[in-house]
């Protein structure tokens, strides 16, 4: 979860084309969502994370591409801060479009994030909101697809999103316990995190000595209060949601992750700040190995 970047990044340039669906997959050691890609004939995956303001490149990708790094970015996350460098990626294809001039944060993701290197495929980096914000993004767990539509492909009549001018990430309304909060949409986390104490929720359990992995140099160990509540997510009622306690951070009232997002086929109109949700009938994406075996010609 990328909380703050203390650096100025040039905006990437997106050349729009005809939308081509991208597969959503998971890895052998992570049930969150990734997108396959190919680099110099080798198979890699992007980690899909709306909780990252700026896309991030693993240092292994930068080395493979022979890119030079420059500058300094201070990254603050769940487990402290770290100093990273930057590199500009060559133009690359993404869902029928071309992304150029993407200045990505460079670091060893296996060592400084919750993303662990799987055995079967290399992790290229994190695809964040600096790229996704250009599109009307459809997350479809039924078909296990990510679809990046050009702006104004659809007219979205759904719920509003919030965003500040200095942060491309979006916040979505959650009504819980008779109160409304605006946590970040965060596909990079599996769960829902809200400040249950501040919301006066009644805990159902306490998970003790939980190892918290996220952006930063050091893992944290802490106790987490858990709650079970009926919520409205972007105006849509969802019963019996497990909420993990998380103190309210600066500018953030929590995080809403895949535990909720995967329940819907969702259209996120990032350019116009709206979201539309349709309940999904299936939400378990295949592993990368399963997808790769099915995609190979006989």
């Amino acid at each position: 979860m990328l909380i703050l970047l203390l650096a100025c990044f040039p905006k990437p340039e997106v050349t729009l084309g005809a939308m081509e669906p991208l597969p959503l997959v998971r890895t052998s050691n992570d049930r969150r969502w990734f997108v396959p890609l190919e680099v110099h004939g080798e198979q890699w995956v992007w980690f899909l994370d709306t909780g990252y303001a700026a896309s991030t490149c693993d240092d292994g990708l930068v080395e493979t591409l022979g890119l030079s790094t420059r500058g300094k970015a201070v990254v603050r996350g769940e487990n402290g801060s770290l100093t990273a460098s930057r590199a500009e990626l060559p133009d690359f294809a993404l869902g029928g479009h071309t992304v150029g001039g993407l200045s990505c944060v460079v670091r060893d993701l296996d060592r400084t994030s919750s993303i662990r290197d799987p055995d079967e495929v290399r992790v290229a980096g994190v695809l964040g909101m600096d790229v996704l914000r250009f599109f009307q993004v459809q997350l479809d767990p039924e078909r296990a697809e990510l679809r990046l539509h050009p702006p104004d492909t659809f007219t979205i009549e759904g719920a509003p999103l919030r965003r500040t001018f200095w942060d491309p990430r979006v916040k979505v309304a959650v009504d819980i316990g008779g109160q409304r909060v605006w946590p970040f949409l965060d596909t990079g986390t599996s769960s829902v995190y809200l400040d249950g104490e501040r919301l006066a929720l009644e805990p159902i359990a306490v998970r003790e000595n939980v190892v918290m992995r996220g952006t930063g140099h050091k893992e944290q160990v802490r106790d987490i209060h858990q709650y079970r509540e009926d919520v409205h997510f972007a105006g849509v009622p969802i019963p019996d949601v497990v909420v993990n306690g998380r103190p309210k951070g600066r500018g953030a009232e929590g995080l809403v992750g895949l535990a909720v997002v995967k329940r819907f086929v969702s259209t996120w109109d990032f350019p116009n700040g709206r979201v539309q949700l349709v309940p999904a009938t299936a939400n378990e994406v295949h592993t990368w190995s399963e997808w790769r075996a099915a995609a190979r010609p006989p």
Side-chain angles (χ1 to χ4, degrees), residues 83-276:
T83 300
S85 58
R86 293 183 290 166
E88 184 172 316
L89 288 182
D91 293 3
F92 63 95
L94 185 69
H97 316 289
T98 301
V99 180
L102 178 61
S103 180
C104 65
V105 183
V106 180
R107 63 188 224 244
D108 181 349
L109 287 169
D110 185 72
R111 186 175 60 86
T112 64
S113 78
S114 66
I115 306 166
R116 295 294 182 260
D117 291 333
D119 293 330
E120 70 275 15
V121 66
R122 298 183 71 178
V123 177
V126 180
L127 193 62
M129 284 296 296
D130 54 344
V131 173
L132 297 174
R133 68 194 178 102
F134 286 94
F135 303 101
Q136 289 183 312
V137 175
Q138 286 186 314
L139 297 174
D140 188 343
E142 291 185 342
R143 295 186 180 181
E145 287 182 354
L146 166 68
R147 298 190 284 272
L148 303 176
H149 293 279
D152 301 321
T153 299
F154 306 104
T155 299
I156 303 299
E157 302 293 346
L161 303 171
R162 284 185 176 179
R163 184 171 62 203
T164 57
F165 73 90
W166 63 83
D167 191 338
R169 295 175 298 170
V170 297
K171 300 175 183 179
V172 58
V174 172
D175 296 292
I176 182 170
Q179 304 173 73
R180 171 163 289 189
V181 293
W182 289 87
F184 282 118
L185 169 69
D186 190 349
T187 59
T189 186
S190 300
S191 305
V192 177
Y193 291 90
L194 299 173
D195 191 340
E197 184 176 352
R198 187 175 67 88
L199 293 169
L201 305 180
E202 188 66 34
I204 58 168
V206 179
R207 297 171 58 201
E208 297 182 340
N209 299 320
V210 177
V211 178
M212 302 295 294
R213 296 185 174 93
T215 293
H217 277 298
K218 299 179 180 179
E219 296 176 344
Q220 290 186 357
V221 179
R222 68 173 187 248
D223 296 343
I224 296 179
H225 287 76
Q226 288 192 310
Y227 313 87
R228 188 179 295 274
E229 298 285 336
D230 297 339
V231 306
H232 280 71
F233 175 61
V236 178
I238 309 176
D240 244 12
V241 174
V242 174
V243 175
N244 292 286
R246 176 183 185 270
K248 179 180 180 295
R250 182 180 298 176
E253 293 188 285
L255 310 168
V256 176
L258 291 182
V260 168
V261 174
K262 72 179 184 179
R263 299 183 187 215
F264 302 96
V265 177
S266 54
T267 302
W268 299 88
D269 185 354
F270 292 134
N272 296 304
R274 310 290 294 187
V275 58
Q276 182 171 293

Side-chain angles (χ1 to χ4, degrees), residues 21-27 30-36 45-49 127 132 137-148 187 258 261-262 264-266 282-292:
L22 293 165
L24 287 173
V25 299
R26 56 187 174 88
T27 63
D30 200 326
R31 302 188 73 84
R32 296 173 295 177
W33 291 349
F34 295 76
V35 177
V45 288
W46 281 114
F47 183 66
L48 182 66
D49 195 347
L127 193 62
L132 297 174
V137 175
Q138 286 186 314
L139 297 174
D140 188 343
E142 291 185 342
R143 295 186 180 181
E145 287 182 354
L146 166 68
R147 298 190 284 272
L148 303 176
T187 59
L258 291 182
V261 174
K262 72 179 184 179
F264 302 96
V265 177
S266 54
N283 57 30
E284 190 59 62
V285 305
H286 293 302
T287 65
W288 176 89
S289 297
E290 292 169 338
W291 168 81
R292 181 68 176 154

